[in-house]
Amino acid sequence: MREVGVPHPRLPLPEPGQRDEPQAFHTWLAEAIPMVEHLGIREMRWEGESLVWELALEPNLNDKGTGFGGALTAQTTLLGWCWVTLWLRERGYARDVVVAEASQRFLAPVTGDYRLTCSAQSEQGPATLVERLASRGRGRISLVQQLWCGDTPCLEAHGDYAVLPAG
């Protein structure tokens, strides 16, 4: 059971240059952030430089029988946090990451199980983050998250995530 004000222990870093095993990270994430086990995440995986979640709609239903906007917003924000955290871990950084700014645009109702994807908003984003971490000890990156029901885009979100200084 988590306690208010007590940080959850960090997951040990993977071997240098290796990615976390997504299922092990998902298990840790559900312990660190209790609401995760209620989000309907069925699978977490990398596809190239995009982090992908497969989700069930049922735990995220609204009163109309479609996806609840608040749940979808929380998922896009958390997916971005996971992208940055996993990306940093692969490079040997154990850092705190926070969302600095987020916005969503709802395009269509979510009417079935769905897929969320997250990637850097620009190709230069990751390189710029590495440069800022080296020169300033902290940095920021802009990400884009997209929600798909089959081939239908239902939501697009943008988030800026801050990587805090070590310490």
Side-chain angles (χ1 to χ4, degrees):
M1 173 79 78
R2 293 290 318 279
E3 288 186 47
V4 175
V6 177
H8 191 71
R10 290 186 191 267
L11 189 64
L13 287 170
E15 293 295 319
Q18 297 293 308
R19 284 189 163 164
D20 282 280
E21 199 287 309
Q23 192 54 47
F25 183 79
H26 183 238
T27 299
W28 173 85
L29 187 65
E31 294 168 0
I33 303 172
M35 76 176 229
V36 166
E37 69 180 322
H38 304 287
L39 295 179
I41 303 168
R42 292 181 171 166
E43 182 184 356
M44 178 187 301
R45 68 179 181 279
W46 285 100
E47 288 182 3
E49 294 305 311
S50 292
L51 186 59
V52 179
W53 285 357
E54 299 288 343
L55 297 107
L57 175 58
E58 187 177 9
N60 301 294
L61 287 172
N62 64 17
D63 59 317
K64 296 159 202 66
T66 60
F68 174 55
L72 304 177
T73 297
Q75 291 166 357
T76 60
T77 301
L78 181 60
L79 178 59
W81 181 90
C82 288
W83 188 99
V84 178
T85 299
L86 289 166
W87 186 90
L88 289 167
R89 289 172 53 75
E90 182 178 338
R91 287 150 184 83
Y93 292 99
R95 295 290 192 83
D96 286 329
V97 175
V98 297
V99 62
E101 188 175 330
S103 64
Q104 300 78 34
R105 189 168 62 118
F106 295 87
L107 307 170
V110 177
T111 57
D113 293 348
Y114 54 99
R115 178 178 76 259
L116 274 172
T117 63
C118 181
S119 56
Q121 188 166 336
S122 76
E123 276 188 39
Q124 298 79 23
T128 300
L129 179 57
V130 166
E131 175 188 306
R132 293 227 169 100
L133 289 171
S135 65
R136 300 179 186 171
R138 59 187 166 86
R140 248 173 117 137
I141 188 165
S142 295
L143 303 176
V144 62
Q145 299 92 9
Q146 296 177 310
L147 187 153
W148 299 85
C149 280
D151 294 330
T152 303
C154 298
L155 170 81
E156 183 170 284
H158 296 270
D160 286 351
Y161 293 82
V163 179
L164 303 180

